[in-house]
Amino acid sequence: MVLVLALGDMHIPHRAPDIPAKFKSMLVPGKIQHIICTGNLCIKEVHDYLKTLCPDLHITRGEYDEDSRYPETKTLTIGQFKLGLCHGHQVIPWGDLDSLAMLQRQLDVDILVTGHTHQFTAYKHEGGVVINPGSATGAYSSITYDVNPSFVLMDIDALRVVVYVYELIDGEVKVDKIDFKKTSTSVPAL
Amino acid sequence: MMLDGTEDEEKFLAAGIAGLQQNSFYMHRALDSNNLRDALKYSAQMLSELRTSKLSPHKYYELYMRAFDQLRKLEMFFEEETRRGCSIIDLYELVQHAGNILPRLYLLCTVGSVYIKSKEAPAKDVLKDLVEMCRGIQNPVRGLFLRSYLSQVSKDKLPDIGSEYEGDADTVSDAVEFVLQNFTEMNKLWVRMQHQVGKNLHVLSQIEGVDLDMYKDVVLPRVLEQVVNCKDELAQFYLMDCIIQVFPDEYHLQTLDVLLGAYPQLQPSVDIKTVLSQLMERLSNYAASSAEVLPEFLQVEAFSKLSNAIGKVIEAQPDMATAGVVTLYSSLLTFTLHVHPDRLDYADQVLGACVKNLSGKGKIEDKKATKQIVALLSAPLEKYNDIMTALKLSNYPRVMEFLDIPTNKVMATVIIQSIMKNATRISTSDKVEALFELIKGLIKDSDATPNDELDEDDFKEEQNSVARLIQMLYNEDPEEMFKIIETVRKHILTGGPKRLPFTVPPLMFSSLKLVRQLQGQGQEENPFGDDSATSPKKIFQLLNQTIETLSGVLAPELALQLCLQCAEAANDCELEPVAYEFFTQAYILYEEEISDSRAQVTAIHLIIGTLQRMHVFGVENRDTLTHKATGYSAKLLKKPDQCRAVYACSHLFWVDDHDNMKDGERVLLCLKRALRIANAAQQMANAARGNTGSVMLFIEILNKYLYFFEKGNPQVTVAAIQGLIELIMNEMQSDTATSDPSADAFLATTMRYIQFQKQKGGTVGEKYEPIKV
């Protein structure tokens, strides 16, 4: 059982003062094995905070990020799954599933994680799974109205991944989960 | 024990004096008859009286003085003896035969004095010897007096500069060394003695019979009398502290008058402020311990008594350091906050008194004082957990005026942290105004100090905390919120170019949130409506002017991004001219100020992505903007970037939800243009490096063909797709091809996708059927 935290688009301090206290109390150091962050943190303090949660931290560059050295895309393998990470402002039209699927094919990954729209989504299609963890702070977005703070926790176990999405709605944390299974190791179609 | 023992002490003293006088009588008789041995014997016996433990230092002193007088006469005798030929070294050795150590040492010191005068040995050696030997007496009282005696007799014999005792071997440093050593040992004994005295008080407090009445009527007056009469500043300080620590707080409350009344009677050099502060601290903690005791405080009017006492102390010590004054007020404030938490007027009074005292001193720069002022100002924050309550204290900002810039910043940071921690919402423009006045050290450069040499990281942290603060300023009522925005804007515009990139974005996004809120409330652009009401249009005007400040300021990329955000928001409000204006600004920024290649690529993608979503533009405007965007795309520096930007532009001609925005031809034109650029890139690679580069770009374009093919663009035909697939295959198999595993993988997944679509059946399957892979 490998826990992967996926989150992003905090936009601290431009659009939000901090990650919600209820989220912070849930995110305890030492429980998570990997963190993948879609970008737009925007400042070093957020990077340092994430680093305290888990040393294996992967970040891709959002257009407002203070640190311009983050890569545009990143791929990594966790267990039997290949994961791809990209902020998403580079994929036009923004939030369009078919365009995201193209990126997924290009990176050749089972799970693609992108952000930018601040809207939580988890799509399954022939190429694999596309996940958007939303905005961890519920930051303003020109694309999505009424953003609730959200993040995703993936539990990767052999050929199965359970995606837990945590959303802060009216002050309460609500959890939902989605199951995905890989049919075999060679064919990435989930 | 001081109380019951006083009578006994008198008896012991009397006995001691009697014994002393008797032995000195015999000693004199021996001196007169030149009987050295007897003189020594009786002097030793006389000195034995000083071995007593039964006397307080006060009484011991009386005994000691009499012994001292006798020893003077003995010393003169010793001098005469040496003149008569008696060896001083023999004498020095002889006195060491005295039975008990204390008399022995007094005699040694006396002889030692003569020894030094004789110059038969270096002064340094004799003094060193004596100081070391005195270590033999560790009892505080006896030791102190012995060493005091040693200081006395050696005073004029220190090998000081110009003194007759200075020789090659003896120098000033030896003299200093001697005195220091003696002093150090005396200090140790003194401290020990104090503990003993303090212990007395402690024992007193443990006696069960000492209830409040006895304390008030008997114990306290007597103890205070002793303290005042001893006239020793160190003792007084220590003893006052003991009284406070040792007796219960309720007693102190009930005897506040008496206690405070004693303070002016103490020696002027006593550190009264510390004593007072400690008293107030004790009482504060007492008040904090339980709410039930609070009425007591009111009943004895503790606050006014302490206030007055402090006032008097400060008046009596005009030279008191600023740090000390502030500490006093700080303790009083803490006391007030604990005892009278609802009496803001009391707290304000304390701050007011402090202000009055500090006025005329200008900006306080002494580190200790500023530290105390920060503590003073932090106290209400911690107590009320609400900066707004603290701001109700009219003197609060006045105290902050006295801080120099670095300390103002420290305090401002404390305030911001308090707001963040307590998630305080600041909800009116007046409060915002007051707050920003307080934290002005962070907001702008001060005129007084020139460019602050601040570490870059620290500066960033500072400004980021201001940015976070801006998020906490909010009111549901749009009118008030707009006022808040205007107030913040006014302040941050004074911040100068270094600060704007940090402070403008949060202000902007707060404004855009307000726009959205107004949208939600269905505010239409009413041509006959009240022009002064807050409207999206008004907000956009403000934002327009604000973003302008960023463009000249080395943050053009940020300015461009913000323009695009505003454009999208204007789009959602159906304000076509406003949206167009923002786009124009963005384009100008792109053309004139963004020259870094990487930044251009990002900017282009943002422009295309935003433009793709705009539905508010009429055909002409849209065409102009689209044309420009494709133009920029084709002019990017690197060919691959050009290619990708151009095929991204294809989406500008195809918007899913709007049938009249689906121009299949222009989509294909874009894709073909991208193809040409990809070809050119291949040729360049061939010419420059001798091999064709990766086919990655072609595969990307193929995927875009598939995208529009699926969307139903009639211009994207099976033939076109087929042709592109063959092109790719040829390129890959050519001799000059470079292998690129990621391109191979991409092609593989693309082919797999086509297969998958074919197998889907239905209309999709039919569409894909003719494509051969």
Side-chain angles (χ1 to χ4, degrees):
Chain A
M1 173 179 107
V2 177
L3 283 181
V4 182
L5 172 65
L7 78 177
D9 286 312
M10 288 74 117
H11 287 281
I12 295 170
H14 293 163
R15 308 187 200 183
D18 204 357
I19 294 175
K22 288 214 159 144
F23 280 179
K24 273 188 155 171
S25 60
M26 294 169 64
L27 296 173
V28 175
K31 295 270 177 66
I32 298 161
Q33 279 78 52
H34 308 273
I35 299 185
I36 52 182
C37 180
T38 52
N40 273 344
L41 302 180
C42 312
I43 52 180
K44 185 170 168 295
E45 274 115 307
V46 184
H47 180 122
D48 292 341
Y49 165 71
L50 292 177
K51 207 69 192 200
T52 66
L53 294 180
C54 164
D56 191 41
L57 175 60
H58 305 270
I59 308 181
T60 45
R61 192 180 74 91
E63 75 274 32
Y64 286 92
D65 273 315
E66 176 184 70
D67 189 343
S68 57
R69 293 167 304 175
Y70 298 138
E72 301 284 318
T73 62
K74 206 161 192 197
T75 54
L76 59 153
T77 307
I78 297 177
Q80 307 279 7
F81 287 89
K82 285 190 277 187
L83 287 91
L85 185 63
C86 177
H87 177 250
H89 65 268
Q90 308 93 327
V91 180
I92 291 160
W94 293 335
D96 180 82
L97 177 59
D98 295 310
S99 297
L100 289 170
M102 170 179 154
L103 177 63
Q104 185 159 22
R105 292 193 285 273
Q106 186 169 7
L107 297 176
D108 192 20
V109 292
D110 305 310
I111 304 174
L112 177 66
V113 180
T114 61
H116 188 57
T117 63
H118 299 201
Q119 167 86 39
F120 162 72
T121 52
Y123 289 126
K124 181 172 132 170
H125 62 104
E126 65 291 318
V129 182
V130 177
I131 297 177
N132 185 329
S135 159
T137 54
Y140 171 91
S141 159
S142 56
I143 302 167
T144 311
Y145 281 47
D146 297 323
V147 182
N148 286 317
S150 65
F151 68 86
V152 156
L153 205 54
M154 291 187 277
D155 184 353
I156 298 182
D157 191 3
L159 293 171
R160 182 166 171 250
V161 57
V162 183
V163 175
Y164 295 92
V165 57
Y166 297 80
E167 244 184 302
L168 187 64
I169 305 178
D170 291 330
E172 292 302 316
V173 178
K174 304 241 158 59
V175 192
D176 211 347
K177 78 172 189 181
I178 311 169
D179 252 272
F180 296 106
K181 278 201 221 13
K182 241 173 111 149
T183 46
S184 86
T185 50
S186 52
V187 178
L190 292 189
Chain B
M1 295 243 291
M2 272 154 66
L3 282 184
D4 299 344
T6 348
E7 282 180 10
D8 292 330
E9 252 201 297
E10 291 289 350
K11 273 195 240 156
F12 291 129
L13 180 60
I17 293 175
L20 195 147
Q21 280 174 331
Q22 188 179 29
N23 282 301
S24 58
F25 172 73
Y26 289 120
M27 181 184 85
H28 279 288
R29 251 209 350 211
L31 293 179
D32 289 338
S33 46
N34 274 332
N35 186 342
L36 180 58
R37 262 191 54 193
D38 275 355
L40 290 181
K41 172 173 138 200
Y42 287 114
S43 63
Q45 270 172 237
M46 169 189 82
L47 289 167
S48 291
E49 297 300 336
L50 288 176
R51 290 174 61 215
T52 177
S53 306
K54 300 200 176 94
L55 297 175
S56 69
H58 204 65
K59 299 272 182 269
Y60 190 94
Y61 178 70
E62 289 187 48
L63 197 57
Y64 165 84
M65 282 319 288
R66 282 166 220 264
F68 186 85
D69 291 335
Q70 300 305 324
L71 286 174
R72 294 279 61 68
K73 301 191 180 126
L74 190 59
E75 188 179 339
M76 282 194 296
F77 176 76
F78 287 148
E79 274 182 71
E80 280 177 35
E81 277 292 291
T82 51
R83 257 180 268 140
R84 265 183 252 148
C86 176
S87 150
I88 186 68
I89 298 170
D90 286 346
L91 204 51
Y92 197 68
E93 211 256 332
L94 204 58
V95 298
Q96 295 191 44
H97 291 308
N100 294 303
I101 182 170
L102 190 68
R104 185 158 70 229
L105 289 174
Y106 271 106
L107 289 174
L108 262 173
C109 290
T110 316
V111 174
S113 164
V114 180
Y115 197 168
I116 295 171
K117 266 202 250 187
S118 73
K119 302 201 189 142
E120 285 191 38
K124 163 179 101 167
D125 290 346
V126 181
L127 290 173
K128 189 159 183 285
D129 210 22
L130 292 173
V131 145
E132 292 283 322
M133 282 200 278
C134 285
R135 277 229 184 107
I137 304 294
Q138 285 294 315
N139 173 279
V141 176
R142 296 196 286 275
L144 265 170
F145 279 100
L146 174 62
R147 286 187 180 274
S148 174
Y149 178 69
L150 176 57
S151 315
Q152 281 288 92
V153 300
S154 63
K155 227 174 15 189
D156 51 343
K157 299 172 190 78
L158 291 177
D160 201 356
I161 297 176
S163 103
E164 51 181 299
Y165 299 102
E166 195 186 14
D168 289 326
D170 302 321
T171 58
V172 176
S173 59
D174 293 326
V176 170
E177 177 62 36
F178 167 74
V179 173
L180 275 179
Q181 209 183 345
N182 202 27
F183 172 70
T184 310
E185 297 300 321
M186 283 178 82
N187 238 13
K188 288 187 204 162
L189 296 169
W190 165 248
V191 168
R192 228 170 285 164
M193 196 165 90
Q194 287 188 321
H195 279 286
Q196 292 203 331
V197 172
K199 273 212 195 100
N200 280 342
L201 285 177
H202 184 75
V203 171
L204 249 184
S205 74
Q206 301 288 329
I207 302 173
E208 285 191 17
V210 179
D211 61 358
L212 176 58
D213 285 326
M214 173 164 284
Y215 175 78
K216 205 160 50 164
D217 297 332
V218 178
V219 174
L220 186 61
R222 294 279 290 277
V223 170
L224 283 179
E225 193 192 317
Q226 292 282 336
V227 172
V228 170
N229 287 340
C230 85
K231 293 204 196 308
D232 176 273
E233 69 173 77
L234 278 180
Q236 286 182 338
F237 177 77
Y238 175 70
L239 292 169
M240 291 307 301
D241 186 37
C242 272
I243 294 174
I244 295 169
Q245 300 303 338
V246 144
F247 291 103
D249 299 305
E250 312 109 88
Y251 287 17
H252 296 316
L253 259 188
Q254 298 297 333
T255 55
L256 209 49
D257 279 327
V258 179
L259 203 54
L260 294 175
Y263 289 167
Q265 297 177 44
L266 299 178
Q267 299 297 101
S269 44
V270 172
D271 186 8
I272 273 296
K273 61 180 189 319
T274 311
V275 176
L276 255 178
S277 298
Q278 280 162 353
L279 173 62
M280 285 189 282
E281 211 183 297
R282 279 283 297 222
L283 293 175
S284 297
N285 292 338
Y286 180 49
S289 66
S290 96
E292 293 158 0
V293 306
L294 290 179
E296 247 186 274
F297 283 82
L298 292 168
Q299 183 225 351
V300 305
E301 290 174 35
F303 175 73
S304 52
K305 286 187 188 154
L306 286 168
S307 261
N308 288 335
I310 291 178
K312 288 210 192 90
V313 166
I314 293 179
E315 243 182 77
Q317 299 186 11
D319 295 328
M320 196 192 289
T322 315
V325 173
V326 181
T327 312
L328 272 172
Y329 283 118
S330 193
S331 308
L332 182 58
L333 184 61
T334 313
F335 171 83
T336 317
L337 290 172
H338 281 132
V339 174
H340 304 285
D342 49 333
R343 295 297 297 262
L344 288 177
D345 56 330
Y346 279 178
D348 207 14
Q349 216 180 311
V350 177
L351 289 177
C354 192
V355 165
K356 203 165 132 211
N357 201 283
L358 291 176
S359 64
K361 294 194 183 166
K363 300 272 185 225
I364 309 289
E365 285 178 17
D366 168 45
K367 290 268 178 297
K368 284 201 205 123
T370 49
K371 206 164 151 213
Q372 287 303 324
I373 297 182
V374 171
L376 177 72
L377 291 172
S378 301
L381 275 184
E382 279 158 24
K383 175 72 187 174
Y384 296 121
N385 277 333
D386 184 1
I387 179 64
M388 286 301 125
T389 314
L391 277 179
K392 287 196 195 136
L393 304 168
S394 63
N395 286 305
Y396 196 91
R398 288 193 203 135
V399 176
M400 272 194 82
E401 284 293 317
F402 290 104
L403 294 175
D404 62 352
I405 292 302
T407 322
N408 178 294
K409 285 195 199 176
V410 168
M411 197 57 222
T413 313
V414 169
I415 291 174
I416 295 181
Q417 277 169 356
S418 161
I419 294 174
M420 302 308 304
K421 191 179 90 171
N422 297 303
T424 319
R425 276 274 132 110
I426 318 282
S427 58
T428 70
S429 57
D430 292 331
K431 290 183 189 161
V432 171
E433 178 71 43
L435 180 60
F436 272 70
E437 256 311 300
L438 269 191
I439 63 174
K440 62 184 170 206
L442 292 180
I443 304 292
K444 58 183 176 188
D445 292 327
S446 100
D447 339 283
T449 54
N451 248 328
D452 237 315
E453 288 294 321
L454 194 57
D455 173 55
E456 203 189 299
D457 282 338
D458 288 341
F459 180 75
K460 271 192 204 168
E461 227 183 280
E462 244 184 41
Q463 294 307 310
N464 280 329
S465 70
V466 175
R468 281 189 226 228
L469 174 65
I470 295 177
Q471 310 287 348
M472 310 303 287
L473 314 175
Y474 177 73
N475 192 314
E476 280 176 357
D477 171 39
E479 298 298 324
E480 191 60 44
M481 186 65 205
F482 189 65
K483 281 201 208 135
I484 291 178
I485 290 173
E486 282 179 316
T487 311
V488 174
R489 179 174 179 271
K490 182 183 78 174
H491 282 273
I492 65 177
L493 285 183
T494 62
K498 276 174 70 182
R499 293 187 174 82
L500 288 172
F502 293 94
T503 50
V504 167
L507 179 65
M508 258 226 28
F509 286 106
S510 288
S511 314
L512 288 180
K513 282 189 215 168
L514 180 58
V515 166
R516 208 171 255 183
Q517 189 188 333
L518 288 172
Q519 252 183 283
Q521 289 170 6
Q523 287 212 4
E524 308 261 303
E525 287 298 310
N526 185 347
F528 301 107
D530 182 4
D531 218 19
S532 62
T534 308
S535 67
K537 209 164 173 197
K538 255 183 133 184
I539 301 176
F540 284 125
Q541 281 167 359
L542 195 69
L543 290 179
N544 211 317
Q545 292 161 9
T546 315
I547 297 180
E548 267 174 14
T549 64
L550 278 182
S551 49
V553 142
L554 306 173
E557 291 129 26
L558 183 60
L560 183 141
Q561 286 164 5
L562 296 178
C563 280
L564 292 176
Q565 291 279 343
C566 289
E568 235 187 305
N571 173 72
D572 292 348
C573 292
E574 311 290 335
L575 294 170
E576 187 183 357
V578 177
Y580 191 79
E581 178 58 35
F582 278 118
F583 255 94
T584 311
Q585 271 195 298
Y587 280 20
I588 293 175
L589 282 164
Y590 181 84
E591 285 179 25
E592 294 181 3
E593 299 190 39
I594 299 182
S595 47
D596 173 72
S597 312
R598 229 176 129 214
Q600 282 182 339
V601 172
T602 306
I604 275 291
H605 278 114
L606 294 173
I607 288 174
I608 300 172
T610 313
L611 189 52
Q612 197 265 345
R613 298 170 53 79
M614 307 289 282
H615 58 258
V616 75
F617 289 131
V619 172
E620 263 187 45
N621 279 341
R622 193 177 172 86
D623 271 348
T624 313
L625 294 174
T626 311
H627 181 72
K628 273 270 174 189
T630 26
Y632 296 151
S633 304
K635 294 206 200 72
L636 287 171
L637 179 63
K638 301 188 218 165
K639 288 248 176 279
D641 290 334
Q642 281 177 16
C643 177
R644 292 181 172 121
V646 167
Y647 75 57
C649 284
S650 63
H651 291 281
L652 292 174
F653 304 104
W654 193 277
V655 181
D656 255 340
D657 308 323
H658 294 78
D659 277 336
N660 57 345
M661 292 198 356
K662 289 184 181 174
D663 188 337
E665 267 186 44
R666 290 174 84 174
V667 166
L668 191 60
L669 278 173
C670 259
L671 293 179
K672 282 194 173 158
R673 197 171 176 186
L675 216 44
R676 281 199 299 278
I677 299 174
N679 264 319
Q682 292 290 62
Q683 284 165 12
M684 255 175 57
N686 212 357
R689 289 195 290 275
N691 54 51
T692 50
S694 149
V695 293
M696 181 67 92
L697 288 174
F698 291 118
I699 306 176
E700 291 176 35
I701 298 172
L702 170 62
N703 273 271
K704 281 297 168 192
Y705 268 63
L706 292 172
Y707 176 97
F708 287 107
F709 178 66
E710 259 190 62
K711 294 282 179 189
N713 182 344
Q715 313 294 334
V716 180
T717 58
V718 172
I721 295 175
Q722 201 71 66
L724 191 46
I725 295 179
E726 277 164 28
L727 169 70
I728 294 171
M729 295 302 189
N730 287 339
E731 288 288 326
M732 284 176 82
Q733 284 153 10
S734 108
D735 297 327
T736 49
T738 17
S739 94
D740 179 1
S742 43
D744 294 339
F746 193 12
L747 186 59
T749 51
T750 311
M751 292 300 122
R752 204 154 44 223
Y753 172 69
I754 298 176
Q755 275 295 69
F756 193 93
Q757 296 295 75
K758 281 202 212 185
Q759 283 157 13
K760 254 188 181 165
T763 31
V764 178
E766 273 177 37
K767 243 188 172 165
Y768 272 83
E769 184 49 45
I771 304 179
K772 296 183 194 39
V773 293

